[in-house]
Amino acid sequence: MPSDNHIKSAFSLIEKDESKVLGLTVGKHENVQPGTYIPRQDAQEVPKLSFSGATPNNKYVIVSLDIDAPFPSFGILGPILHWIQSDVKVTGTSSLEFDAPFVANYIGPAPPPGSSPHRYIFFLYEQPEDFNLKDHAPADGQKLANMSRMRYDLDAWAKEIKLGPLVAFNYFVSN
C-alpha cells in the first residue's frame, strides 16, 4: 500500500489555513470549495487552477489523485494518479498557466458503477529547481498507461524528485 503522508498533510493544511485552498474551476463549476460534488460529465476537461499566494517567478507542479479507487470502502487500487503537470507559472490574475508537456496526462473521474463518490484531490507544490521533465514524462508526449497510475505513491515520487513544499490544495467529489 502506498504511503499517504502528503495526502494527510494536504487535508490538514486547508483545515488549519483557508488561504491555502487552491482555486479550482471544473467545467462550468467555478470557485469550487473543498468537497463540492461535481458530476462526472462536467469534470472530463483539465480544470483551471489559481492561487493568489503563488510567487510570479516560481515554477510549480500540480498533482491530482483519486484516493478512493475502486471503492471508498475498498481502496485496493488507489490512489490512482489523474494528472501531473510541471512548469506551471502564475499570471498577474493568480491563474496558473502551463505550456510544457505533461508528466501524466489529465484523466477525468470514472468511478465504477455502484460506487459512492470518489475524492479527486489537487496539490500545488513548488517545483524543484533541478526538475527535468524529460526524466519523468513518457517519451514523445505519450499518454501515461493506466497500470502506471494505479496504487500511485506520491510520497515516493516526491522524495525521488525532491519535491518542494505543498503550497495549496483542494478537492471535489464525483461519481
Side-chain angles (χ1 to χ4, degrees), residues 3-170:
S3 59
D4 63 356
N5 294 323
H6 282 254
I7 295 168
K8 288 177 184 174
S9 66
F11 280 101
S12 177
L13 176 73
I14 62 172
E15 286 174 9
K16 293 177 184 173
D17 186 352
E18 290 182 10
S19 74
K20 300 296 185 179
V21 173
L22 182 63
L24 184 58
T25 296
V26 181
K28 62 185 177 187
H29 306 271
E30 297 181 6
N31 194 29
V32 173
Q33 296 304 301
T36 299
Y37 176 81
I38 307 284
R40 174 194 308 218
Q41 66 272 16
D42 291 354
Q44 297 305 310
E45 299 296 322
V46 175
K48 293 182 176 106
L49 303 167
S50 63
F51 185 62
S52 61
T55 305
N57 295 328
N58 287 5
K59 288 184 181 177
Y60 297 92
V61 174
I62 298 165
V63 178
S64 178
L65 302 171
D66 171 353
I67 59 173
D68 295 316
F71 299 96
S73 61
F74 184 66
I76 192 68
L77 298 177
I80 291 182
L81 177 64
H82 273 251
W83 186 28
I84 297 178
Q85 180 66 57
S86 66
D87 297 298
V88 177
K89 298 176 185 168
V90 64
T91 67
T93 62
S94 302
S95 293
L96 299 173
E97 304 286 336
F98 48 88
D99 56 16
F102 51 77
V103 176
N105 57 298
Y106 177 79
I107 57 172
S115 177
S116 57
H118 288 200
R119 292 169 291 171
Y120 293 88
I121 62 177
F122 295 82
F123 302 88
L124 179 67
Y125 292 98
E126 288 186 19
Q127 181 172 303
E129 284 189 33
D130 62 349
F131 181 81
N132 184 347
L133 175 66
K134 291 180 183 177
D135 292 342
H136 303 282
D140 301 321
Q142 297 292 314
K143 293 181 177 181
L144 190 65
N146 286 343
M147 290 303 293
S148 298
R149 295 175 183 274
M150 291 184 219
R151 298 179 53 81
Y152 191 76
D153 193 338
L154 176 58
D155 291 350
W157 189 70
K159 183 177 180 181
E160 174 188 334
I161 70 163
K162 300 176 185 89
L163 194 58
L166 179 62
V167 173
F169 173 76
N170 202 343

